[in-house]
């Protein structure tokens, strides 16, 4: 009977739409984040802007003067951007606070600003 109750509960959860696991009760993710399956994700990364969003703390993380900062709102240079129209990546299996470490390990070879990327010759 217990297994049946658990199975019934899981079926009910999945039939209600997207499910987000969060450490905060009554937490609602931002309107640009709609997972289509059960996932444990803490950070979402917007590669075009090098901006992370921490779903558990409801804060944005970005470089400001070479230092990673955590804020509830995006800085003025990004405020007119509609994040629902931009690509994002779910950062899976990373729950630590140090986003600088993750960014350096996983995004070192991205973007035009990478000094190690060889330039194309015309």
């Amino acid at each position: 009977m217990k297994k049946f109750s658990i199975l019934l509960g899981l079926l009910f959860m999945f039939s209600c739409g997207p499910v987000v696991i969060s450490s905060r009760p009554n937490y609602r993710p931002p309107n640009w984040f709609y997972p289509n399956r059960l996932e444990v994700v803490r950070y979402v990364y917007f590669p075009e802007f090098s901006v992370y969003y921490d779903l558990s703390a409801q804060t944005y993380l970005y470089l400001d003067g070479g230092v990673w900062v955590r804020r509830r709102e995006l800085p003025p240079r990004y405020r007119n951007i509609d994040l629902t129209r931009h690509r994002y990546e779910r950062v899976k299996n990373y729950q630590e606070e140090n986003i600088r470490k993750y960014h350096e390990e996983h995004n070192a070879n991205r973007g035009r600003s990478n000094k190690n990327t060889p330039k194309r010759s015309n």
Side-chain angles (χ1 to χ4, degrees), residues 32-46:
W32 46 258
F33 183 78
Y34 290 103
N36 56 9
R37 63 185 178 275
L38 181 65
E39 292 182 333
V40 178
V41 174
R42 178 172 179 180
Y43 297 101
V44 177
Y45 178 59
F46 293 89

Side-chain angles (χ1 to χ4, degrees), residues 36-86:
N36 56 9
R37 63 185 178 275
L38 181 65
E39 292 182 333
V40 178
V41 174
R42 178 172 179 180
Y43 297 101
V44 177
Y45 178 59
F46 293 89
E48 187 175 344
F49 310 108
S50 291
V51 171
Y52 290 86
Y53 184 77
D54 184 341
L55 291 161
S56 64
Q58 300 179 23
T59 55
Y60 293 95
L61 294 102
Y62 54 89
L63 278 172
D64 187 14
V67 177
W68 284 97
V69 295
R70 183 181 292 265
R71 303 283 186 262
R72 291 242 178 238
E73 294 182 1
L74 287 170
R77 66 181 181 262
Y78 296 134
R79 288 210 181 119
N80 294 328
I81 295 171
D82 181 5
L83 292 177
T84 60
R85 297 182 177 269
H86 293 278

Side-chain angles (χ1 to χ4, degrees), residues 100-119:
R100 179 186 57 83
K101 176 183 169 188
Y102 176 86
H103 187 77
E104 288 173 358
E105 290 174 2
H106 293 87
N107 297 300
N109 294 322
R110 283 189 170 196
R112 289 174 264 155
S113 63
N114 186 0
K115 295 177 184 174
N116 298 327
T117 304
K119 294 181 180 179

